[in-house]
Amino acid sequence: MENFVFSIPTVAYFGKGQIESLGSAIRRFGGSKVLLAYGGGSIKRNGVYDDVVKQLDAAGLPYAELSGIQPNPRLKSVEEGVALYRESGCDFILGVGGGSTLDACKAIAAAAGYEGEVMDLLDGTAEVSGAAPLGTVLTMAGTGSEMDSGGVITVGEDHKKHVIFHQELYPKFSILDPEYTFTVPQWHSMAGAVDILSHLMEQYFTPDCGTEVQDRMNEGLMKAVIDNTPKVLENPEDYDARANVMWASSMALAGFQFRLGKPMFPFPVHYIGHELSSLNDMTHGVSLALVTPAWMRHTMRKNPESTPVFAQFARNVFDVREADDAKAAEQGVVLLERFFASVKMPANLREADVPEDKLEYLAEKAVEHGELGILAKLDRDDVLRILKDAY
Ligand code: NZQ
Ligand code: ZN
């Protein structure tokens, strides 16, 4: 196991009614005027907005509102947010929503402390420094943005997804009330659960680094997501199922704890999935469900030495009893495909309306910044093969 630093500065207020901690949490982190940012209006329909405003008013905290942050958030929302933050003299950002709203808030927080163009921070020309403090009220489980230091912003005509990461971008606190996720539509609830599972798998599928604690904990979380997601599908108001999925979302990426001790940063499926979202605004989690099985099979084909970790996944997560590694690994992929189908993910890229003549373009875009993957290095042709297999 490699050396690592484990530090998650985010305070999690988890459970029913934790919104009552909002005012004191903002004050605790120095906020006196708040930029209240949210998405397309779901929080107004389900009462979360009223809860938030009530708490801000009770704490005597004035606020300016940024609304309309869309799924796969755009640079424009970030720029609007920075301008509003400055014009209205805010000193704290509160993101209320899913990963898209929270990510936009992270980019606003980063840019609020920077005089140049927001894009400099997204393309790495400038480093984040002096970011504004941020708190969140999560309304949808999935991305882990509520307890990680990253954000993903969609930029430009090709809708490229740019990732911003910095220690300063951890939320100061996140309010995690599972009841706030009761109203998430089925499609997004299921896609969010797939996203959580993918974050866990992406940190799990690496060469053996002697990281038993991380990997065994990871397997437990994967099982919990697989067990609880169908319960959410059956009853969207199943509190414990929503609570487990929500906490799994936060834990999956908190401090990237499951890749600590591993000397690499993988996430190849995410790089490919992001291109699908760039192409037709595909829901993030759905893009991951579409690519993962084909990626698993291709990785084992290209590097048969990676088969044991896929077999271990099959045995420890899906309780496969097969002794032969290759057979066990394939059974694991099949069971994962069945899980994705059971939570209503489309079966393939064709069903998800991805034009077949765009596969080459997608493959080129995915490897724009170099080869992907750790278990097998993937170039353009590998990604193309994965996409064709997933079609
Ligand atoms: O916009 P509103 O009206 O809020 O509606 C949203 C949106 O339409 C709706 N929703 C959220 N909570 C709801 C609700 N509807 C009813 N009741 C509620 N309680 O759900 C829709 C999807 O929301 P969104 O925030 O887009 O979903 P998600 O949380 O999946 O975020 C996706 C974004 O996160 C990025 C993705 O790339 C994508 O841009 N990611 C961020 C990561 C991170 N920060 O670490 C990691 C991930 O891998 C991912 O890349
Ligand atoms: Zn993700």
Side-chain angles (χ1 to χ4, degrees), residues 142-144 152 191-192 194-199 202 253 267 270 274 284-285 287-288:
T143 65
V152 185
V194 171
D195 192 20
I196 301 168
L197 196 56
S198 178
H199 295 154
E202 297 258 49
L253 284 187
F267 284 77
H270 269 68
H274 279 182
H284 174 62
S287 73
L288 305 171

Side-chain angles (χ1 to χ4, degrees), residues 296 310 313-314 318 320 327-337:
M296 291 166 90
F310 291 102
F313 166 78
F318 280 113
V320 166
K327 285 184 189 159
E330 174 56 23
Q331 284 179 31
V333 182
V334 170
L335 288 166
L336 184 64
E337 284 174 321

Side-chain angles (χ1 to χ4, degrees), residues 226-301:
I226 289 166
D227 287 349
N228 282 281
T229 305
K231 295 180 190 168
V232 170
L233 185 65
E234 198 176 308
N235 174 12
E237 302 199 3
D238 181 332
Y239 181 84
D240 283 330
R242 286 285 193 188
N244 277 291
V245 172
M246 190 177 223
W247 192 229
S249 159
S250 305
M251 285 295 100
L253 284 187
F256 282 91
Q257 56 178 320
F258 301 118
R259 65 159 283 274
L260 293 178
K262 302 184 176 192
M264 68 274 293
F265 193 85
F267 284 77
V269 174
H270 269 68
Y271 281 100
I272 303 172
H274 279 182
E275 294 308 327
L276 288 165
S277 294
S278 297
L279 185 71
N280 67 0
D281 224 12
M282 187 183 285
T283 299
H284 174 62
V286 174
S287 73
L288 305 171
L290 288 166
V291 172
T292 303
W295 170 80
M296 291 166 90
R297 292 195 175 103
H298 185 76
T299 298
M300 286 187 271
R301 207 158 43 218

Side-chain angles (χ1 to χ4, degrees), residues 38-43 45-46 48 69-73 96-101 103 106 139-145 148 150-152 154 161 165 180-185 188 192 195 199 253 270 274 283-285 288:
Y38 52 93
S42 68
I43 66 164
R45 293 187 291 277
N46 61 16
V48 176
I69 297 168
Q70 67 192 88
N72 299 321
V96 183
S100 295
T101 292
D103 284 4
K106 286 178 176 172
T139 64
M140 178 185 154
T143 65
S145 189
D148 75 17
V152 185
T154 294
K161 287 199 161 201
F165 268 118
Y180 283 177
T181 68
F182 283 178
T183 54
V184 180
H188 286 293
D195 192 20
H199 295 154
L253 284 187
H270 269 68
H274 279 182
T283 299
H284 174 62
L288 305 171

Side-chain angles (χ1 to χ4, degrees), residues 46-357:
N46 61 16
V48 176
Y49 175 87
D50 292 340
D51 285 0
V52 167
V53 164
K54 186 175 156 200
Q55 295 302 324
L56 294 177
D57 288 345
L61 287 162
Y63 54 90
E65 288 188 44
L66 173 72
S67 62
I69 297 168
Q70 67 192 88
N72 299 321
R74 305 302 200 265
L75 180 60
K76 191 167 156 281
S77 290
V78 178
E79 290 170 340
E80 277 172 24
V82 178
L84 185 59
Y85 181 87
R86 289 187 180 140
E87 277 160 22
S88 46
C90 294
D91 55 14
F92 195 92
I93 300 168
L94 181 67
V96 183
S100 295
T101 292
L102 272 48
D103 284 4
C105 287
K106 286 178 176 172
I108 295 167
Y114 178 68
E115 288 305 320
E117 296 293 321
V118 178
M119 202 50 218
D120 299 347
L121 297 158
L122 296 177
D123 65 17
T125 315
E127 207 192 326
V128 177
S129 173
L134 161 73
T136 87
V137 178
L138 185 67
T139 64
M140 178 185 154
T143 65
S145 189
E146 67 275 15
M147 257 174 109
D148 75 17
S149 59
V152 185
I153 305 297
T154 294
V155 181
E157 283 181 8
D158 62 354
H159 294 164
K160 189 82 184 170
K161 287 199 161 201
H162 289 254
V163 182
I164 182 168
F165 268 118
H166 198 275
Q167 186 73 15
E168 289 189 17
L169 301 182
Y170 275 105
K172 300 292 180 201
F173 66 83
S174 284
I175 292 181
L176 308 169
D177 183 339
E179 289 189 335
Y180 283 177
T181 68
F182 283 178
T183 54
V184 180
Q186 185 184 89
W187 175 258
H188 286 293
S189 294
M190 296 302 111
V194 171
D195 192 20
I196 301 168
L197 196 56
S198 178
H199 295 154
L200 294 164
M201 289 191 287
E202 297 258 49
Q203 296 173 89
Y204 184 84
F205 290 128
T206 64
D208 183 357
C209 301
T211 49
E212 271 221 57
V213 170
Q214 292 86 321
D215 293 335
R216 297 295 86 77
M217 286 167 64
N218 188 333
E219 287 160 359
L221 235 65
M222 286 195 261
K223 273 173 167 287
V225 174
I226 289 166
D227 287 349
N228 282 281
T229 305
K231 295 180 190 168
V232 170
L233 185 65
E234 198 176 308
N235 174 12
E237 302 199 3
D238 181 332
Y239 181 84
D240 283 330
R242 286 285 193 188
N244 277 291
V245 172
M246 190 177 223
W247 192 229
S249 159
S250 305
M251 285 295 100
L253 284 187
F256 282 91
Q257 56 178 320
F258 301 118
R259 65 159 283 274
L260 293 178
K262 302 184 176 192
M264 68 274 293
F265 193 85
F267 284 77
V269 174
H270 269 68
Y271 281 100
I272 303 172
H274 279 182
E275 294 308 327
L276 288 165
S277 294
S278 297
L279 185 71
N280 67 0
D281 224 12
M282 187 183 285
T283 299
H284 174 62
V286 174
S287 73
L288 305 171
L290 288 166
V291 172
T292 303
W295 170 80
M296 291 166 90
R297 292 195 175 103
H298 185 76
T299 298
M300 286 187 271
R301 207 158 43 218
K302 186 153 192 205
N303 174 17
E305 286 183 16
S306 67
T307 305
V309 70
F310 291 102
Q312 177 184 268
F313 166 78
R315 293 187 185 114
N316 293 357
V317 177
F318 280 113
D319 299 322
V320 166
R321 290 285 157 257
E322 170 63 50
D324 177 78
D325 274 359
K327 285 184 189 159
E330 174 56 23
Q331 284 179 31
V333 182
V334 170
L335 288 166
L336 184 64
E337 284 174 321
R338 276 189 207 151
F339 171 73
F340 288 154
S342 76
V343 298
K344 315 279 183 198
M345 292 295 108
N348 50 46
L349 293 174
R350 186 187 306 271
E351 207 178 282
D353 291 331
V354 175
E356 199 167 4
D357 62 2

